[in-house]
Amino acid sequence: ELLRIDHVGIAVPDLDAAIRFYAENFGLRCVHEETNDEQGVREAMLAVGDGTGPRLQLLAPARPDSAIAKFLDRSGPGLQQLAYTVADVEVAAEKLRARGLRLLYDEPRRGTAGSRINFVHPKDAGGVLVELVEPA
Ligand code: V0V
């Protein structure tokens, strides 16, 4: 059901500073940037190497009551989520629900670049916030 790793998400306090940090130190290229109002994030997608593999997603808070703001307050900057590509997010979510895992949303929400997303609660996934991504 999980096709591949889609991206790894890192919470950062300042998106522009983080984009510069990854470009200067690791040579990663920013290939997409957007603000997701529903999620309360400013985010950037960075390509690694030839760009064919999983991306690095930088996530900065757009409002103080957002999931990323809360994560930064509690844990500081660092790895926040692991996202897998799926063909159909509703089918993937339903299979996990049937196995007793808590999905955060009843219905998929909008993710990066028009994708449809849902999440498994980290307490039901070994301490990892798992995201399911159905690309647009
Ligand atoms: C919280 N916990 C985590 C965690 N966030 N553990 C691992 N990774 C994380 N990212 C732990 C926390 O330390 C607590 O553990 C426990 O979970 C708290 O659970 P809670 O009270 O139910 O929840 P909150 O209020 O801490 O919120 C956590 C969740 C929230 C995961 C429910 O962050 C959320 O709704 N996330 C989904 C949306 C999101 O992350 N949006 C930003 C990315 P103890 O202390 O009890 O042991 S947007 C995005 O990815 C997009 C647009 C995209 O990819 O396209």
Side-chain angles (χ1 to χ4, degrees), residues 6-7 9 34 36 39-41 43 45 57 59 66-68 70-71 74-75 79-81 83 102 104-105 109-113 115-123 126-133:
D6 190 276
H7 63 266
E34 74 178 71
N36 186 319
Q39 293 289 337
V41 294
E43 57 135 314
M45 283 293 190
Q57 181 184 44
L59 297 156
S66 60
I68 295 300
K70 190 168 180 185
F71 182 90
R74 180 156 46 195
S75 310
L79 288 176
Q80 189 257 351
Q81 57 167 268
R102 278 170 297 166
L104 293 185
Y105 309 140
R109 295 193 183 170
R110 204 189 67 76
T112 309
S115 59
R116 300 165 77 229
I117 62 173
N118 206 335
F119 295 87
V120 180
H121 196 284
K123 291 295 170 191
V128 177
L129 175 59
V130 170
E131 181 180 353
L132 306 172
V133 183

Side-chain angles (χ1 to χ4, degrees), residues 31-101:
V31 292
H32 181 77
E33 243 185 281
E34 74 178 71
T35 298
N36 186 319
D37 289 322
E38 185 179 32
Q39 293 289 337
V41 294
R42 285 189 65 214
E43 57 135 314
M45 283 293 190
L46 275 46
V48 183
D50 66 7
T52 58
R55 288 186 170 163
L56 195 72
Q57 181 184 44
L58 301 176
L59 297 156
R63 345 174 261 274
D65 64 341
S66 60
I68 295 300
K70 190 168 180 185
F71 182 90
L72 287 170
D73 285 345
R74 180 156 46 195
S75 310
L79 288 176
Q80 189 257 351
Q81 57 167 268
L82 175 61
Y84 295 99
T85 312
V86 297
D88 183 323
V89 67
E90 275 153 321
V91 169
E94 195 42 51
K95 283 192 179 162
L96 295 170
R97 270 189 209 102
R99 300 191 59 82
L101 277 62

